[in-house]
Amino acid sequence: MIGAAINRIDGPLKVSGRAVYSYERQEAGRPLYGFIRGAAIGKGRIKHADVSAAETAPGVHLVWTHLNVPAQGAYVPKPTMFDRPRPQLTSDRITYYGEPVVFVVAETFEAARHEAEPGAFALRRHAGNAEKPETLSIGMPAEVRMGDIDAATAQGPVTVDESYDTPYHFSQAMEPPAALADWRDGHLTVYVATQMVAQTRTAIADTLMLDEKQVTVDAACVGGGFGSKLYLHAEGVFAALAARSLGRPVKVAMTRRQVFTLTGHRPEMIHRVRLAAASDGKLTALGHDVNMQGGTEAGPWIEQAATVARSLYAAPSRLTRHYITTLDVKASEAVRGPGEMPGLIAFETAMDELAFALRIDPVELRLKNDTEIDPELSIPLSGRRLADCLREGARQFGWDERPATPASRREGRYLIGYGMAAGIRMHFQGATEVSVRAEADGRVVVRSDMTDIGTGTYTIVAQVAAEALGVPLESIAVLLARSDFPKSMGAGGSWGAANVSVALDRACQALKEKIRDRAGRPSNNLLADVRVHFPDGVEATGRTIGQAQDPNYTNFSQNTYGASFAEVGVDTHTGEVRLRRMLGVFAAGRIVNPKTARSQLIGGMIWGVSSALHEAAAVDPHRGCWVNGDLAEYVVPVHADIPDIEAILLDDHDEHANHLGMKGIGELGVCGTGAAVGNAVFNATGIRVRSFPITMAKLLPGLPALI
Ligand code: MOS
């Protein structure tokens, strides 16, 4: 069962429209509709809020501003970023464009009036005000220094010292963030689109100042997350507050435009990458500085963008630093591949620049600097298969056909180029509990608050249980994402599949022991033995411990690896870049389901193409609003942009990750793929664009000379 390309067990429900998402849940009866009105300025103060017309309009049940919203728990960093309170309408201050200023349960209202103030909205303009935090949001130090990078780069002989810009990105899940809250008999049930159920429950309880026991969170169906549903947002808070105040079910969904203002974004970043190498290609120094946007909210998200440089290649002198520039722009949040995605697009472009300067093949340069030992932690890199990914990718892609000189291959009006990049993604383990129960009637029920955000969790959980218990897949019912089920770390950070599978496998082993103890022998027909010996059913739980307590995560540096290869054609008349084909080769431990895994990786790779060629959100430097905050102008690839793309998973088993040999894949596909496309553009044209995405306008000035 583990390793089988099983179709999603929830697939028929989803494609037939019978899967019920939070906004559509029926359990609460007929709900009222809430709507959030956001600020039309980026910084300022609410002088006056005239909502009298809205309050008296027919059908309006409730109108809240900062003047009359119920008391809420303070926005303090407790206990983690995932479960902290998220109070709304807390003051007359407006700290970012689109910040909620009015909440209405019904349809009509008068807009609140704002007074605008000048704000800091442009990263480049205010980059000089950057501050250096001590630690990153995920806990590592913001700065790590080894050796002397200045001396090494002065010595050369071959160096790269370049600056790269990566823009704001958004997670735009198909299902916008939505919540339906039901308050009855002193208990609040919130059906909400979230990646992390227990943490969202804590956040709701602390915001509403309720006891956690008074709150149930249910996220049985979630239509995509990509980081945008890790935290509780305004829609969940307002639905819950209003349901309690009115004693009626209330539902609130973000409009598509609100997804651009009320969820978090990946911060815009300015990178500086420094590399120095001997003439044989051995790195003597590497450095990566990142200066990123931070919001004015307490406890900014500090994305670990320079950490990729810490484990990817050997080099004696090393320096990685992160800086935060506070702008009057909403606080950023995790967006798929946080850290690695923007970090690798800069770092692996710099590696391509170094290969060009050295006149060494880019694959060869990476192989020369491969390492089995984490260069900064001085512990083994677990499951280090980077070289295998590079070699297998080069072979299957036909890398030896690459034009040796940039701008040397033409097909009609197109210049053709090949590019590649390495990928790395940290692998995390979080405390997770799963229960499994076998009933006398032959059913097996698995319960965990783990979520399925469209990735295939329901299916792989059934596979792991079927394999561990030796029972048919059809006998397994998978119940996920309710806060009254055993607690997990949810789906995020690429940790969900391994966490839940390992805990579930342990639960299944414990269940088999219970059955063996009662039956007096190991079972060869588990369901029959349960029927005979356990008329009331039998249950067991299994756990995964947090990585801080697990020696496998202190004795080994845990990562997954990939190598991506791209071929592009650049239209010499227009500067348009067309992806022609792409291949990713990945090593991510044992794969439970190659079909759902491949979908994840291809999705990530498409996002990588997007980061190279399409995607960027822009903030108006005067008003602080999102200039292209809708799907008409925030450009993402369509089918015609993605002609031929393949992901290959190496047959792998990482014995140091966990006893199943599994790691994560959700973010790996986006790691390095953007740089591979950008490097292909350089190989095609000889033009190095260091500000992403690589648009026609950036390429055109360099192209006419080539015609
Ligand atoms: Mo991921 S950005 O941790 O959902």
Side-chain angles (χ1 to χ4, degrees), residues 524-546:
N524 55 23
N525 186 340
L526 184 119
L527 297 178
D529 282 348
V530 172
R531 191 169 58 240
V532 172
H533 296 289
F534 295 91
D536 300 323
V538 54
E539 186 168 327
T541 57
R543 278 175 200 84
T544 312
I545 57 173

Side-chain angles (χ1 to χ4, degrees), residues 240-274:
L241 281 171
R244 182 179 61 178
S245 290
L246 295 168
R248 296 270 305 270
V250 175
K251 63 181 181 180
V252 185
M254 288 189 199
T255 64
R256 184 55 66 183
R257 280 174 184 266
Q258 282 176 336
V259 183
F260 285 89
T261 57
L262 297 179
T263 67
H265 48 266
R266 187 194 307 287
E268 186 176 341
M269 298 180 190
I270 301 166
H271 307 253
R272 180 191 182 192
V273 181
R274 284 189 283 173

Side-chain angles (χ1 to χ4, degrees), residues 388-676:
D388 294 339
C389 294
L390 288 164
R391 290 202 179 95
E392 190 59 21
R395 192 182 66 77
Q396 294 208 26
F397 189 75
W399 180 249
D400 53 2
E401 300 287 313
R402 167 181 178 260
T405 311
S408 63
R409 186 172 299 168
R410 259 190 107 121
E411 282 181 22
R413 59 195 264 185
Y414 285 92
L415 286 164
I416 310 301
Y418 288 16
M420 60 76 56
I424 183 170
R425 163 75 195 172
M426 280 178 254
H427 171 64
F428 303 105
Q429 179 174 288
T432 295
E433 190 173 306
V434 179
S435 74
V436 59
R437 183 174 177 80
E439 303 286 3
D441 65 3
R443 279 182 313 132
V444 174
V445 184
V446 180
R447 288 184 177 84
S448 168
D449 83 353
M450 169 67 183
T451 50
D452 185 334
I453 58 175
T455 46
T457 314
Y458 281 106
T459 308
I460 64 157
V461 164
Q463 287 178 258
V464 170
E467 169 136 344
L469 299 175
V471 302
L473 196 71
E474 297 71 36
S475 63
I476 303 196
V478 183
L479 301 181
L480 298 179
R482 272 187 70 99
S483 57
D484 40 16
F485 297 160
K487 181 176 173 174
S488 76
M489 283 292 287
S494 303
W495 57 61
N499 281 343
V500 74
S501 297
V502 170
L504 170 58
D505 187 67
R506 291 190 177 128
C508 291
Q509 303 312 330
L511 189 79
K512 286 200 289 192
E513 261 178 56
K514 281 188 180 178
I515 295 165
R516 184 192 60 203
D517 287 351
R518 175 104 32 119
R521 52 165 172 73
S523 182
N524 55 23
N525 186 340
L526 184 119
L527 297 178
D529 282 348
V530 172
R531 191 169 58 240
V532 172
H533 296 289
F534 295 91
D536 300 323
V538 54
E539 186 168 327
T541 57
R543 278 175 200 84
T544 312
I545 57 173
Q547 61 188 37
Q549 289 79 46
D550 188 336
N552 274 352
Y553 288 73
T554 46
N555 296 338
F556 294 90
S557 175
Q558 297 281 357
N559 302 281
T560 54
Y561 300 95
S564 42
F565 296 81
E567 178 182 335
V568 301
V570 180
D571 187 326
T572 52
H573 295 191
T574 65
E576 187 188 16
V577 180
R578 302 299 305 174
L579 181 72
R580 290 159 61 110
R581 63 195 179 98
M582 190 160 193
L583 173 70
V585 177
F586 302 99
R590 187 179 182 195
I591 300 303
V592 183
N593 185 323
K595 187 174 274 186
T596 54
R598 178 177 171 276
S599 295
Q600 281 289 293
L601 290 165
I602 285 186
M605 290 170 71
I606 292 169
W607 205 323
V609 174
S610 185
S611 69
L613 301 179
H614 304 104
E615 227 171 311
V619 172
D620 182 306
H622 307 292
R623 296 178 56 230
C625 61
W626 296 100
V627 174
N628 56 344
D630 57 56
L631 285 185
E633 296 192 73
Y634 181 77
V635 183
V636 294
V638 298
H639 280 88
D641 295 311
I642 308 294
D644 175 4
I645 194 160
E646 193 49 82
I648 293 170
L649 279 149
L650 295 184
D651 190 14
D652 198 24
H653 183 108
D654 189 339
E655 59 181 343
H656 302 299
N658 49 61
H659 77 279
L660 293 180
M662 289 173 55
K663 294 188 284 192
I665 44 147
E667 333 227 14
L668 182 58
V670 79
C671 296
T673 31

Side-chain angles (χ1 to χ4, degrees), residues 305-360:
T307 57
V308 291
R310 294 178 183 170
S311 302
L312 192 49
Y313 302 118
S317 290
R318 323 172 63 89
L319 177 59
T320 44
R321 294 181 289 201
H322 299 78
Y323 300 86
I324 285 278
T325 299
T326 300
L327 299 180
D328 296 302
V329 173
K330 190 180 191 314
S332 56
E333 292 180 9
V335 172
R336 196 180 197 178
E340 284 88 349
M341 195 256 109
L344 281 166
I345 204 168
F347 193 83
E348 282 292 290
T349 301
M351 284 294 284
D352 199 64
E353 302 212 42
L354 182 67
F356 182 72
L358 284 161
R359 301 185 192 290
I360 290 180

